Each structure stands twice: as structure tokens, then as C-alpha cells.
Amino acid sequence: MAAAAAAMEQEAEATCLQSFELYESESRLYILGSNSDKTLWRLLKIDRSEPSELVIDECSTVYTESEQHDLLKGLDAEHRPTGGIKFVTKFYGIIGFIKFLGPYYMLIITEQKRIGEIFGHPVYQVTRTSMVELANSKTRSTFQSSKDENRYKKILSTLDLRKDFFFSYSYHIMRSLQKNLSDPHHEGWTLYETTFVWNEFLTRRIRNCLRNTLWTVALVHGFFKQDKFSISGKDIMLTLIARRSRHYAGTRYLKRGVNEKGRVANDVETEQIVYEAVPGPSEVSSVVQNRGSIPLFWSQETSKLNLKPNIILHEMDKDYEATKLHFENLRARYGNPIIILNLIKTRERRESILRREFDKAIKIINKSLSEENHLRFLHWDLHQNSRGKPTNVLDVLLKVAFRALSLTEIFYCQVAPSSETTAHWPTLLSGLDPYLCDDGNSNSDNTECSEIVGDISQEDISGSSDSSGNATAEDKVENSELPPLKPPKFQKGVLRTNCIDCLDRTNVAQYAYGLAALGHQLHALGFIESPELGLEAPLAHHLMHFYERMGDTLAVQYSGSAAHNKIFSAKRGHLKLFIQSQEFFRTLQRHYSNTCIDANKQAAINLFLGYFQPQQGKPALWELESSSEEHNNELFVDHTSSLKRIRSDGSILHESGASISGSGHCLNEPLSASQPDVQSGDVQSRLQVPNLESDSIHEKEVSSGYESGVSHLRYTPTASDMLHVPRAEPEYYNDSGDSNFLDLEWLSTSGNSSDERSIATSTPDANLSTENVISGITPEIMENQVVEVQAQKLPEDFVQWVNHGDTFWY
């Protein structure tokens, strides 16, 4: 009997809790959690007598189904003098706990939808959530039901967790496949601290208390899509994942460039996974790429009248320390080489300022690095090269992608099939990733190399063993009639792509890289003879649909509209009128969102991520924007604080302390989907209060207020803060050319011909970029175009797309 109990305890430790029942009494909340087949149950208790403090107790006993019923009867009898216990709701995981000015609230997932799986590990999307107040009827009366408390709750509710938040109970979806297979036994409760877990702050207290994540889910924000397609008579599973960083996260004009810790706005990791769609696949391949804002201190002010505001470059970091920190961060995540593909314009005044400064920063940083650690870069004006025949840029970008892949390679390995236990991981065969044991480039989340090596035994490396564990590798291959093991391949380094917003042009380039990588992946898996896939291949069109959906999703999250997909639309042969109309209305959608909605979205993000934590007696979140100039100057005093570095999974060690971030001008008005206009004078006086992030739960808890230094994020600079860049800086602009890792003459052979470019200058849509298609447009021209589009009597579906932001063509 004791042996059976011990076996059940051991199984419970390895089992994920996936279904939960919430009960309440006058003094406590009780949560019963069970595994997927309802055979094992555990109990969590939350005290309600002091709801301003979070007191959690986990029962060590593991219950069976019958014991669980007896437990509920006992709890009801215990609380009978105060009314017993009552069932509240069934749910699927705790998102975390949050406190404003009164009691704590628990955020839970009440509905979910399965959207895919990786090696049999299901992936779910959040479809409905609920907020449960910890205070009971007695303790609730001790808290003043203030308007501020209700306003904070309303602000948080504007962050719609039903859109593009996903999780897995048994797969570390916040990490790449290469990291997961190389280090499969990493403690899940510390993985919440990584870059891509958005509820790290909300779960910090319960993780510290319990030292596990049985009761919580790690939410990743971004994009997940999975589908099958056939090639060579076999079904292939293609998965595309985009993970948005929780650091320096926010909306388009409120989060730009870099902060002092090397974090950049709109930092997204994209992973493409391919394997044969059969139970227990034996081979798998993945490739990772990155997008992120230009890592300089720069900003843009929103304007109701100017669709393309001026770019302001701030003179804050003459030695480019923050830029250097950013690339050290990427090197810690991905290793060498770091390849930079910069797609901004070279001939347009606004963007060219950043282009020259970015080029200067890269070359100065390279001077301090050894040659093998040099940043590889290519400055290539996608807008200029897309004139005439836009789809020609895909040929050029494919050449860039193949060159980059020759340097970074892809991840490929054979795996031992996983057991029936859902929490068991497949095992990486044929050795470990040597990159994990490189002191100079550790990406193992501070896990010692010896610990990682110890996780995978020689039997695992040789192949799956028989029941006795005595079979040799040759016997196993012969018995299973499998071909000999292929050596694994590991991705080293990453391609980092950016335009101005890291949305439209960037997404085109990421598709080209994904297509080039897909050819390499299918070749490694043995499905095609050549690693090159052409743009006209059926698989290319299938993949373009994936990347187009991803681009639209990320664009809505960051900018408020779907992506500008001129090149994809042209590739499909859509009519020019519809392409122009689609681009025009998406620009209007984006402009409206940036000027009237993004401030509220930013405020909700700041609360959710813990960048701002309300305190009694301190300024409210919506009051920060109206602070006096003197007060704001005091906030920005400590922008020269020291920067520390560590090697981790996208983590930069920094001073812990206050964590505040303001939001935009619309916060001064009641929150609603439609915001009233603001005075233009308010725009000029706004300040964006900086935020700090905390990566480690061993650091001090982030506290609100102004007790520690804060960093510049976005604000309207004085004349002395603004960097006035001359029209030409030949000493850096043409120092060593536009690339140091490929031949530009060779690259240009795939570009548009001079004849095509001369023709383009006379065509009506020659000046349409893939990002902002109505550059310099006046209100009168806008009005005329609206009338013109209305006169076309477009179909109802098109009108619905304009009103609701849905994608029009797929």
C-alpha cells in the first residue's frame, strides 16, 4: 500500500494540472486541481481574512477521485457555522494575482480553445477570463469602493486576453524547440522569468511561495498557427510561432527604439517548426529569426493631422551603450553571428537620419569586438527597390536569406519518441548542442553546463532502449529497422530584421527568410532533393499565407491595423485599385488607433506587466501625463544609471526598484472604444514615464512610486536633448559600404532593372511603400480619396473590414 502511495506521489509530481474547480467559504477560497484524466487531485487554499495580503497554502496530499469527494464533504462540514462552501466556477489555470488600491484579485482562464500541438503536447488559446476578488463580504467593507479602484479595473479590462494569448500545460512554449530539446528538464517555475512570458509579474508571488507552476499557466503573446501540407506523398506539419517580448512592450508611438537596458520596442521572436505529421515523429527541424525596433534612442509624437510624424533622435547615448547591450542580449539568446537586415529608406529625410545613426552605431560597436564577434549587417532600401515590380524584392531577399542561413544554419535532430505520460519530453538523439556549454555564449538561463549534460544519458543518446536497457545502438537500429542516426544540426546566431515599425517591410523579409529556411528544413528531413524552394512553388504560397496572417496579427497588436501587404497582394495578382484601397484604409485605421486608442492599451499593458503598481498617496496612472514640468524633470534625472550584464535567456541584470510607465493623452478621459479628440497643445506637452523590468524573482519585488531611477523612454525633448543630424555624414555613411557579409553587386543582379525603375516613376502607385502609403498626404487629398473609394460601391465585406479591422484578402 505504501509503495502504491509512493508511486502515485511520484506520478503526481510529473503530472500537469489542467482542470480546476473553485470553491469559496467566508474565510477561504479552495481550488481543486486535477490532471487531464481526473485521476489525481490536489488542493490549494487562499486566505480571505487579509485580502490585501496574498496568503497561499498548498496541501501536500494527492487525492484520488473518491478521496476528492470526501475532501469536499469535510470542508463543507468545517465551514458549516458560516454557511459551508459553495462552488464558484470551473476554470483552466491561474493567470496570476493583481492588486490596485484595495484587495487582491485572482485572474483565471474560464474558457480555452485547442489550437495545435507540438510532439503531442497540446497548445491552447485563451478564449475567456474572469477576475475573482479575494475579499469576502466582511473584509470587503473595510476597503473603500473608490472610483480609482474601479477605474484601474476598467483599464486592465481593456487588455483583451482573448486575442493572441496562448499557452501549453506540458510544453515550454515560451522557448524555442532547440532550447527545449537541448535542456528538457529545466524547472518550469523559473522559465516564467524569460523574455516571452507576459504574466511573469502576475505569477511572481505564487511561484515564490509554492516553488512550482502546477496551478498557473505561462501566457505567451503573439501568434500561433499550425497546419498540414503534403509533399512527396507525406504529410508535413508546419508550425509558425511569434513570441512578443514583455520587456519595453507597448504600442507603436508610445514604445519606440531602445531603453537603457538594451530592450527594444516590438521585439518578436519568430520560430518555424517542421516535422512529419505522424504519431511520435522521429525527425524535426526548426529555425528562429528576430524582429525589433532600431536600437537607438528615438521617438515620434502622435498627431491627428500628420500621418507620418517627424522622427526625433535623442542625444542620450553617445557611446551607444544601450545599443551594445541590445546586441549582447541577442548574442546571449542566440549566439553568433548576429546578422542585421535594415530595410529603412536611404533617400527619405525622416528615415535616413536613423539609417545613418544606426550604421554609425554598428561600426563603432564592431571596433570594440573581436572579428569573430562582429555584427554582420546589410542596409537595403526595400521601398526604393520595390518600385516598378514590387515582387522583385522577394528574389533579392531570398538571396540574402540563403546567405544568412549559410552562416547561422538551422536546427535539426532525430528524437526518441516520448512516452504516454504527457509531461514526458522527447529526447534529443546524437548529442547535445555544444553552444549550451560555451561560457562565452551561454543561453541556458544560468543553468550549469554540467547539469544539462547530466540530463541526457548515454542510453538516450544511443537511442531508445529495450525493457532491460542492455541493447546496443546497433541492435536497436536493427530491431526497429530505422536508418542510422544522422548527426544533429544546431542554429548558431540569428537574423535580425527591422524597418521603422518592424511590421510591414519586416514581415516581407521574414517571409523570404522563412521560405529559404523551409527548403533547408525539408531537405534535412529528406523530403526534397535540393534545399532551394522557388517563389512559384505551391509550398511558397502556403507559407506566404502563414506569414501574412502573422504579419497582420502582430501589426494589429502594435499599431492597431493589419499589415500593409502590397507585395503579397501583388504576388497574388490582385487588382491595383483594390491594393491601393486596402493600403489606404489600413493607414487610416492605424492612424486612428495611434492617436485615440493606444494610450488606453498602453496603460493596460503597464498594469498587466507590473510596470506601474498603484499605491495609496502616490499619483494615479492617469495623473502622470498631466504632471508638471518640474516633476517630470525630477523623474528623468537618473537616466545615466549604471548598466549591468549577465548571460541568460534574453535577460539583462539591472537595478530593481520602481517600475512605472505612463500612457498617452486619452487616459485623461473616461475609457471607451471611441475617444474624444485632444488638443494639439496637449500632444506637445506629454511625457511618457519610463518603466523598469524585473527578470529575476530573486530580486526585490518591483514597487511603485519614485524611489529608484527611471530611464528615458519617450518624451518631447528640449532643444538640447535633440540630436540634429546633418544631411550627410560621409565618414560613416559610406565608411565600409552597406554590408559586411555579402557582395552588394552580386545582390543587385536580382533587383529591378533600371528600365523597370524608370517606368515605375510614371505609374500612379510608384510611391506606395509597404508601410505608409500616403506619405505627406493632406486632409483635402484624403477626403477626395475617400469620396473616390465610396463612389466605387465596394462590397459589404470590404466595408466590414474597414470598420472592424479584419483581414480582407486570403
Side-chain angles (χ1 to χ4, degrees):
M1 189 72 177
M8 189 174 74
E9 287 279 356
Q10 185 176 6
E11 183 181 354
E13 288 296 324
T15 300
C16 300
L17 301 182
Q18 300 187 21
S19 180
F20 305 86
E21 294 177 1
L22 177 63
Y23 296 84
E24 68 172 353
S25 70
E26 187 68 19
S27 59
R28 284 180 176 175
L29 292 176
Y30 293 100
I31 299 176
L32 281 168
S34 65
N35 57 356
S36 58
D37 53 5
K38 306 284 186 180
T39 58
L40 299 175
W41 295 77
R42 303 192 71 149
L43 176 65
L44 190 72
K45 308 172 186 178
I46 303 175
D47 185 45
R48 306 183 74 184
S49 60
E50 293 291 339
S52 61
E53 300 293 331
L54 192 58
V55 181
I56 303 175
D57 181 31
E58 182 181 34
C59 182
S60 59
T61 305
V62 180
Y63 302 92
T64 63
E65 178 73 17
S66 60
E67 291 171 337
Q68 177 255 350
H69 290 296
D70 294 337
L71 173 65
L72 286 175
K73 292 179 181 178
L75 292 174
D76 186 62
E78 178 184 342
H79 292 281
R80 192 161 296 159
T82 56
I85 63 171
K86 300 176 181 178
F87 174 77
V88 179
T89 185
K90 180 180 179 179
F91 66 100
Y92 299 95
I94 298 174
I95 296 172
F97 295 86
I98 192 168
K99 181 179 184 293
F100 305 120
L101 301 173
Y104 268 95
Y105 301 89
M106 180 173 64
L107 304 178
I108 57 176
I109 299 171
T110 53
E111 289 183 10
Q112 63 183 19
K113 179 177 69 174
R114 181 166 172 161
I115 56 176
E117 66 175 45
I118 299 176
F119 287 107
H121 298 262
V123 179
Y124 298 94
Q125 178 182 336
V126 178
T127 56
R128 190 176 181 183
T129 63
S130 181
M131 179 185 291
V132 179
E133 184 178 344
L134 266 55
N136 57 27
S137 58
K138 292 182 178 179
T139 58
R140 189 176 296 116
S141 62
T142 63
F143 297 101
Q144 294 182 355
S145 181
S146 66
K147 293 181 179 179
D148 286 356
E149 180 80 3
N150 293 330
R151 188 167 184 178
Y152 279 122
K153 291 165 65 175
K154 190 171 183 179
I155 289 173
L156 185 65
S157 68
T158 60
L159 182 63
D160 192 349
L161 298 179
R162 299 170 302 174
K163 292 185 177 179
D164 314 319
F165 282 88
F166 52 92
F167 65 95
S168 175
Y169 295 108
S170 55
Y171 180 80
H172 298 325
I173 195 71
M174 76 291 286
R175 305 174 87 207
S176 68
L177 183 70
Q178 178 170 323
K179 287 183 180 179
N180 281 332
L181 291 186
S182 300
D183 181 17
H185 303 294
H186 199 289
E187 293 292 340
W189 73 278
T190 59
L191 288 176
Y192 277 59
E193 300 160 33
T194 57
T195 298
F196 305 110
V197 178
W198 271 55
N199 58 333
E200 184 277 332
F201 168 74
L202 297 179
T203 59
R204 193 180 298 166
R205 289 182 181 272
I206 185 173
R207 286 184 292 113
N208 282 342
C209 176
L210 305 182
R211 311 294 284 184
N212 67 49
T213 56
L214 289 173
W215 306 90
T216 60
V217 296
L219 293 185
V220 177
H221 186 34
F223 175 81
F224 183 98
K225 182 172 173 58
Q226 187 175 71
D227 203 359
K228 293 179 185 179
F229 59 89
S230 297
I231 183 172
S232 303
K234 296 183 178 180
D235 288 335
I236 303 300
M237 185 68 75
L238 172 64
T239 306
L240 188 63
I241 307 172
R243 307 175 179 98
R244 293 191 68 192
S245 171
R246 64 182 169 89
H247 299 300
Y248 203 35
T251 55
R252 187 185 182 199
Y253 286 132
L254 299 179
K255 295 293 180 181
R256 286 297 218 197
V258 71
N259 68 9
E260 291 184 355
K261 299 165 194 65
R263 308 294 188 184
V264 295
N266 206 23
D267 183 353
V268 183
E269 176 181 276
T270 302
E271 181 177 21
Q272 182 174 293
I273 303 174
V274 180
Y275 55 85
E276 187 176 359
V278 295
S282 60
E283 297 176 87
V284 65
S285 177
S286 74
V287 66
V288 170
Q289 55 181 314
N290 176 264
R291 68 171 74 185
S293 188
I294 299 171
L296 301 170
F297 289 102
W298 63 282
S299 64
Q300 283 179 284
E301 287 291 345
T302 56
S303 170
K304 297 193 298 293
L305 298 180
N306 187 0
L307 293 174
K308 297 181 70 174
N310 289 332
I311 290 173
I312 302 169
L313 186 60
H314 304 290
E315 193 173 28
M316 292 174 52
D317 189 12
K318 296 180 181 178
D319 297 325
Y320 303 106
E321 281 297 316
T323 308
K324 187 175 181 180
L325 270 178
H326 172 66
F327 289 115
E328 288 180 4
N329 182 296
L330 288 183
R331 189 173 286 111
R333 286 196 227 170
Y334 307 111
N336 274 328
I338 303 299
I339 303 172
I340 302 162
L341 176 56
N342 178 27
L343 302 173
I344 62 177
K345 303 169 187 174
T346 58
R347 300 182 183 182
E348 197 252 14
R349 172 67 177 169
R350 296 162 57 260
E351 296 192 13
S352 63
I353 291 175
L354 286 178
R355 187 259 186 239
R356 287 194 294 269
E357 193 72 8
F358 193 20
D359 181 58
K360 180 179 177 181
I362 292 170
K363 290 166 184 174
I364 287 179
I365 291 171
N366 275 345
K367 288 180 180 179
S368 65
L369 300 175
S370 60
E371 186 172 351
E372 62 269 21
N373 289 331
H374 272 189
L375 303 172
R376 314 294 180 92
F377 64 89
L378 169 63
H379 302 291
W380 191 70
D381 187 340
L382 184 145
H383 170 71
Q384 178 67 26
N385 287 278
S386 65
R387 297 192 175 199
K389 189 176 181 182
T391 55
N392 280 354
V393 302
L394 292 173
D395 294 315
V396 179
L397 291 171
L398 271 177
K399 296 184 73 173
V400 174
F402 276 110
R403 175 58 178 158
L405 283 166
S406 71
L407 299 174
T408 65
E409 301 188 38
I410 62 172
F411 174 62
Y412 162 82
C413 74
Q414 291 178 279
V415 294
S418 61
S419 71
E420 294 181 359
T421 304
T422 59
H424 184 80
W425 285 79
T427 305
L428 169 65
L429 299 182
S430 301
L432 288 166
D433 179 3
Y435 168 57
L436 289 173
C437 302
D438 183 351
D439 282 340
N441 297 309
S442 172
N443 70 342
S444 57
D445 286 305
N446 298 325
T447 303
E448 294 295 330
C449 177
S450 59
E451 295 176 355
I452 299 172
V453 174
D455 285 337
I456 300 182
S457 65
Q458 185 58 46
E459 287 79 15
D460 292 330
I461 295 174
S462 301
S464 56
S465 61
D466 62 8
S467 58
S468 65
N470 296 323
T472 64
E474 290 77 7
D475 291 335
K476 294 165 191 170
V477 171
E478 181 178 350
N479 292 337
S480 61
E481 298 182 356
L482 292 174
L485 293 178
K486 300 177 186 177
K489 298 178 181 179
F490 296 96
Q491 179 176 342
K492 306 289 183 62
V494 73
L495 175 66
R496 181 200 191 275
T497 308
N498 72 265
C499 49
I500 286 295
D501 293 317
C502 301
L503 296 176
D504 312 314
R505 288 169 277 182
T506 294
N507 202 58
V508 173
Q510 288 210 323
Y511 160 66
Y513 186 81
L515 180 59
L518 181 60
H520 282 74
Q521 291 175 292
L522 294 174
H523 179 69
L525 293 170
F527 295 117
I528 57 176
E529 296 182 358
S530 171
E532 294 191 16
L533 279 177
L535 288 167
E536 302 306 323
L539 289 181
H541 294 279
H542 195 93
L543 189 69
M544 185 167 68
H545 174 73
F546 269 59
Y547 275 85
E548 193 171 5
R549 289 291 299 272
M550 180 185 74
D552 285 338
T553 300
L554 296 177
V556 168
Q557 293 167 11
Y558 185 58
S559 71
S561 83
H564 292 293
N565 291 322
K566 177 186 175 184
I567 290 178
F568 290 150
S569 296
K571 183 67 180 173
R572 289 197 174 93
H574 292 149
L575 294 176
K576 187 180 298 183
L577 173 63
F578 283 104
I579 294 175
Q580 289 176 319
S581 300
Q582 178 172 267
E583 300 295 283
F584 170 70
F585 280 108
R586 286 184 177 178
T587 298
L588 294 183
Q589 285 178 322
R590 187 171 296 184
H591 179 67
Y592 172 76
S593 178
N594 297 161
T595 54
C596 293
I597 298 176
D598 283 0
N600 296 331
K601 290 170 61 178
Q602 186 66 60
I605 290 171
N606 291 339
L607 283 176
F608 189 85
L609 297 178
Y611 293 163
F612 178 88
Q613 297 172 57
Q615 277 189 349
Q616 293 285 359
K618 299 292 185 179
L621 178 58
W622 49 88
E623 294 173 348
L624 293 176
E625 290 300 302
S626 58
S627 299
S628 66
E629 183 179 354
E630 293 79 9
H631 180 60
N632 284 315
N633 287 339
E634 181 180 340
L635 288 179
F636 289 113
V637 161
D638 194 20
H639 69 273
T640 57
S641 58
S642 59
L643 304 171
K644 299 181 181 180
R645 308 174 180 88
I646 59 170
R647 295 186 297 270
S648 67
D649 181 18
S651 300
I652 298 295
L653 184 65
H654 53 271
E655 303 292 341
S656 63
S659 181
I660 34 183
S661 181
S663 56
H665 53 274
C666 293
L667 278 180
N668 293 321
E669 299 296 332
L671 296 171
S672 65
S674 177
Q675 294 296 325
D677 291 340
V678 296
Q679 298 299 319
S680 60
D682 293 338
V683 175
Q684 297 302 322
S685 62
R686 284 205 319 273
L687 290 179
Q688 173 68 18
V689 182
N691 66 284
L692 298 178
E693 315 93 34
S694 176
D695 283 335
S696 174
I697 60 172
H698 303 295
E699 297 180 66
K700 296 179 181 178
E701 290 292 330
V702 181
S703 62
S704 63
Y706 310 103
E707 298 168 2
S708 67
V710 292
S711 59
H712 286 274
L713 296 189
R714 185 185 73 80
Y715 66 101
T716 307
T718 62
S720 60
D721 294 321
M722 202 177 301
L723 179 60
H724 298 280
V725 182
R727 292 189 177 275
E729 291 187 9
E731 65 273 21
Y732 286 105
Y733 191 78
N734 294 311
D735 182 21
S736 59
D738 289 336
S739 179
N740 65 352
F741 85 102
L742 52 74
D743 185 341
L744 288 175
E745 291 186 4
W746 164 79
L747 187 64
S748 65
T749 59
S750 293
N752 297 338
S753 67
S754 57
D755 290 338
E756 288 172 327
R757 292 187 183 183
S758 63
I759 293 172
T761 59
S762 62
T763 58
D765 66 332
N767 293 320
L768 287 175
S769 72
T770 58
E771 185 174 12
N772 291 311
V773 296
I774 46 178
S775 170
I777 195 167
T778 65
E780 291 78 13
I781 296 176
M782 287 173 51
E783 187 174 296
N784 291 338
Q785 291 201 25
V786 170
V787 173
E788 180 181 344
V789 171
Q790 290 175 342
Q792 296 171 14
K793 297 183 179 179
L794 296 172
E796 181 65 23
D797 288 346
F798 188 88
V799 177
Q800 290 297 320
W801 167 81
V802 172
N803 291 333
H804 302 293
D806 297 331
T807 303
F808 186 57
W809 283 304
Y810 283 127

